[in-house]
Amino acid sequence: MSIGNSPEDERPFEDERVEEDREEARPSIGRAIQQARIAAGLTVDDISSATRVRMNIVHAIEADDFTACGGDVYARGHIRTLAKAVQLDPAPLLAQYGDEHGGRPAPTPAAPLFEAERIRPERRGPNWTAAMVAAIVAVIGFVGFTMFQGNDGANEANVAEGSTPGDSASPTTKTKKPADRKPEASDSAIAAAPQDKVTVQVAAVDGRSWIAVKDHNGRMIFDGVLKQGDTKTFQDSSKVHLVLGDAGAIDLFVNGKKIKDDFQPGAVERLTYTKGDPEAG
């Protein structure tokens, strides 16, 4: 009869080895999530975008490092979220996490959270009443300014948008021409006009008038109202286009010479001058 362990004595060791083999056959939590993610054809970036779990935490969990989660409660939440994202049942993974990390976490004491909330400074909202009062004051000021400027602005807008030559509106009544009209261009001014350019001088002598001026390329040089007594001079290499809202209020000098056309009060005139004018008309 041999001295040694009986077959019955060997069985506990065999059971332990079987249990160890089962443990080794079961993948870790991180490995299971990683394999399911890869099988689903998803990247870590895809999982992070879908679950709102930061990429560094996803990488850490797949490496079975749960320290970046910030505690057991957050670790369990991340495991549940990631498992659902890769079509895994989270229950076995959570049970495995409990076995490996000491069961369910203890509840967080309520007192510290209450104290932290109690001493948190109160946030003050914006003073909407003051903002509303300021807005009302600004609106009232704008309306008053608009009413004060209304008459002058309306008249100026009407002149600026003036009608075309075929309009049937009656011309504005003109006041008598002042006695001290501006003198016509002198001989020195005529001599000073460049011969290689077209020079047009517009003078509002009998009232205000809207005028628009374009160069030979059709680019707008001036668009506005000349008040009585104002004078504007324009030059171009070959051609100047004019629109006069009230031609009767305007004196024109082209290349240093006065234009003798008899413009009527309130008439809208469209004119073009070149280097050869006023002879070219």
Side-chain angles (χ1 to χ4, degrees):
M1 181 175 179
S2 62
I3 301 174
N5 294 330
S6 65
E8 289 78 4
D9 295 333
E10 295 292 337
R11 287 177 184 172
F13 296 101
E14 291 178 358
D15 293 340
E16 291 177 3
R17 284 197 296 271
V18 170
E19 186 64 26
E20 290 176 357
D21 291 341
R22 289 178 180 174
E23 293 291 335
E24 292 178 358
R26 181 175 64 176
S28 66
I29 298 172
R31 181 65 176 166
I33 293 175
Q34 184 184 55
Q35 289 176 345
R37 174 180 61 78
I38 294 173
L42 301 173
T43 66
V44 172
D45 188 20
D46 295 334
I47 294 298
S48 177
S49 300
T51 62
R52 304 292 184 178
V53 178
R54 294 195 300 271
M55 290 181 61
N56 64 315
I57 295 180
V58 177
H59 281 297
I61 291 176
E62 289 189 352
D64 294 307
D65 179 6
F66 301 96
T67 57
C69 296
D72 285 347
V73 174
Y74 298 105
R76 290 173 181 274
H78 291 330
I79 291 171
R80 182 180 293 104
T81 300
L82 296 180
K84 291 180 179 179
V86 296
Q87 304 300 316
L88 284 180
D89 183 5
L93 298 179
L94 293 174
Q96 183 177 348
Y97 181 85
D99 294 339
E100 296 174 357
H101 295 82
R104 296 182 61 84
T108 303
L113 293 178
F114 175 78
E115 290 297 327
E117 183 66 25
R118 184 175 62 84
I119 63 176
R120 184 178 300 168
E122 181 182 359
R123 296 183 60 183
R124 301 181 66 89
N127 191 341
W128 293 111
T129 302
M132 185 176 297
V133 171
I136 293 173
V137 171
V139 171
I140 292 174
F142 176 78
V143 171
F145 177 80
T146 303
M147 293 177 63
F148 180 78
Q149 296 291 330
N151 292 334
D152 185 65
N155 292 336
E156 184 169 305
N158 290 334
V159 175
E161 296 175 359
S163 57
T164 59
D167 287 343
S168 59
S170 60
T172 304
T173 303
K174 290 296 171 183
T175 59
K176 187 177 180 179
K177 293 186 178 181
D180 55 344
R181 293 183 56 180
K182 288 191 174 182
E184 298 181 1
S186 63
D187 293 339
S188 59
I190 295 174
Q195 299 298 316
D196 59 341
K197 294 182 179 180
V198 54
T199 303
V200 176
Q201 184 183 76
V202 184
V205 295
D206 293 326
R208 53 188 288 163
S209 174
W210 167 79
I211 68 170
V213 185
K214 294 182 180 180
D215 63 10
H216 69 282
N217 290 320
R219 182 176 62 88
M220 187 69 71
I221 302 175
F222 180 82
D223 183 359
V225 175
L226 290 187
K227 296 180 180 180
Q228 185 171 352
D230 289 349
T231 300
K232 291 284 185 180
T233 302
F234 308 97
Q235 281 189 342
D236 188 75
S237 60
S238 60
K239 188 178 296 183
V240 173
H241 303 278
L242 293 173
V243 179
L244 306 178
D246 185 354
I250 298 298
D251 276 357
L252 281 180
F253 299 89
V254 178
N255 297 323
K257 299 178 181 180
K258 183 177 180 180
I259 300 300
K260 300 297 186 178
D261 291 350
D262 186 17
F263 298 134
Q264 297 300 312
V268 177
E269 296 287 345
R270 301 177 184 273
L271 308 167
T272 300
Y273 295 105
T274 64
K275 291 184 291 185
D277 288 326
E279 289 79 10

